[in-house]
Amino acid sequence: YAGGVFPWLIAPAYGLGGRLGVLLFLAAILALTAGQLLAWLAECRLRPGPAAAATGLVLASAPVLLISQQVFPDTVGMLLMVVGLRLVLRLEDAPWRRGAGLVLCALLMVAVKSRLAPLAGGLLLLGGCQLLARRLGWGLVAALAAGLVLAAGGLALWLPQEWWPGWVWSQVDIMRWNLERAGHPLRPILILLRGMALDQTFGLAVVAPVFVLVLAGVPAGLRFRLRPALQVLVPLLVYLAVLCYTRWFQWYGGFAGPARFLAAALPPLALFLGLTLTALRQPWLRLVACLPASLTLLYSWLACLVAQARYSAPLGVNPLLRGL
């Protein structure tokens, strides 16, 4: 990996302990992410028991756990994403101090990995909307934000090349070319989302079925925890939209662990998983969560035991399931 500040970030750990030092450093980053995630869920008024269970299940799922055991910048991106959500949640309490922290957090996300720029942009968009809503009201601010997003999409599709700086045009040109390859505007969405959700090797529903329970928590989040739910969903939707039209043909994330592109955005989904677990109050209802949770932990455990089974070509058979 040669781009961004990530090589400089891991250089001291590599100098002290080689590859093992880097892996220990990334394990420490994952531990920090766990602590920040628990603190954020507490600020979202989630009960300690479901919050701890959701944090453990999300961070122990194969996409998150396996990416943290490889030298990828996504592990640092997870920590910055959760810290950014904590800053956005209480932005109005100290707008200048927390706003500066949010901007710094977003810049670090982009510097660590440019692919995470949509997540960083979604956090900044939310922060700006929250501050403007104090003066203009949410109705007008929501309309302005929607107009801004649509205008950005229109510029990316139709603004001529000579209007773009060179380094920006290279990315815009790639997006336009990839969209032309798709043949139909909806095809990238169908290919990317279907692959990320249902593919036998890379799909979340296969390698980490506990994320199916996240879907049940989304309506509850929008009803009972509206602000933090939107603060999770808006950056995620922006990120998925950009992925759909820039990386739809590479939905599997390259020769890496499962759901590599989604790993940095998965920890905040613990909010919705925690709400689902909170609703399962009766012992017999908790059995609904036990099966996908057990399968998720089993897959992660086996993938850690048999490292070569983590990887597969996008058209191949899942080597772990084939071995079983």
Side-chain angles (χ1 to χ4, degrees):
Y1 183 82
V5 303
F6 184 65
W8 299 98
L9 187 64
I10 63 175
Y14 185 78
L16 290 172
R19 179 176 174 82
L20 178 60
V22 174
L23 293 179
L24 290 174
F25 170 74
L26 295 177
I29 293 293
L30 186 65
L32 283 174
T33 303
Q36 291 296 308
L37 187 56
L38 281 170
W40 175 67
L41 292 175
E43 293 169 354
C44 295
R45 296 180 292 110
L46 205 63
R47 290 169 50 198
T55 298
L57 287 170
V58 168
L59 296 187
S61 65
V64 176
L65 186 64
L66 297 185
I67 203 74
S68 70
Q69 297 176 357
Q70 303 172 59
V71 187
F72 280 119
D74 301 76
T75 306
V76 181
M78 296 177 202
L79 175 61
L80 293 172
M81 180 65 185
V82 177
V83 171
L85 286 171
R86 290 195 68 189
L87 292 169
V88 170
L89 186 62
R90 296 190 173 182
L91 185 61
E92 291 91 340
D93 296 342
W96 289 105
R97 179 166 56 89
R98 293 181 184 271
L102 181 61
V103 171
L104 178 61
C105 190
L107 290 176
L108 285 174
M109 287 180 71
V110 178
V112 166
K113 183 63 177 176
S114 59
R115 173 170 43 80
L116 303 180
L119 283 175
L123 289 174
L124 291 177
L125 179 65
L126 277 170
C129 288
Q130 287 181 199
L131 294 178
L132 284 176
R134 300 172 66 183
R135 294 176 175 268
L136 304 178
W138 274 107
L140 180 58
V141 168
L144 290 174
L148 179 63
V149 171
L150 291 175
L155 292 176
L157 287 174
W158 295 300
L159 196 67
Q161 176 180 354
E162 53 270 16
W163 288 70
W164 296 95
W167 63 276
V168 177
W169 168 251
S170 64
Q171 300 300 313
V172 173
D173 188 41
I174 290 173
M175 187 199 75
R176 293 182 180 181
W177 183 65
N178 289 336
L179 187 56
E180 291 175 0
R181 290 174 61 194
H184 191 280
L186 293 180
R187 192 180 180 200
I189 299 175
L190 296 175
I191 290 177
L192 186 130
L193 295 184
R194 182 175 57 190
M196 285 185 170
L198 301 175
D199 182 78
Q200 62 172 303
T201 304
F202 302 93
L204 276 179
V206 176
V207 303
V210 75
F211 282 100
V212 175
L213 298 179
V214 169
L215 297 177
V218 171
L222 293 174
R223 181 177 179 184
F224 301 111
R225 301 289 189 277
L226 180 59
R227 171 173 285 196
L230 289 177
Q231 290 169 351
V232 174
L233 292 175
V234 169
L236 177 61
L237 291 176
V238 172
Y239 182 56
L240 288 177
V242 174
L243 279 182
C244 282
Y245 290 105
T246 57
R247 303 289 187 97
W248 63 269
F249 58 94
Q250 198 187 12
W251 53 268
Y252 50 91
F255 191 67
R260 173 194 164 199
F261 283 166
L262 288 178
L266 292 180
L269 298 182
L271 171 65
F272 304 115
L273 179 57
L275 289 171
T276 300
L277 297 178
T278 301
L280 302 176
R281 297 178 180 177
Q282 301 297 326
W284 65 272
L285 281 176
R286 291 174 185 169
L287 295 175
V288 175
C290 285
L291 179 60
S294 300
L295 292 175
T296 297
L297 296 176
L298 177 64
Y299 192 98
S300 297
W301 179 58
L302 291 175
C304 288
L305 288 178
V306 189
Q308 64 269 26
R310 303 176 183 183
Y311 308 105
S312 176
L315 298 179
V317 176
N318 186 319
L320 187 57
L321 298 182
R322 179 177 57 195
L324 292 175

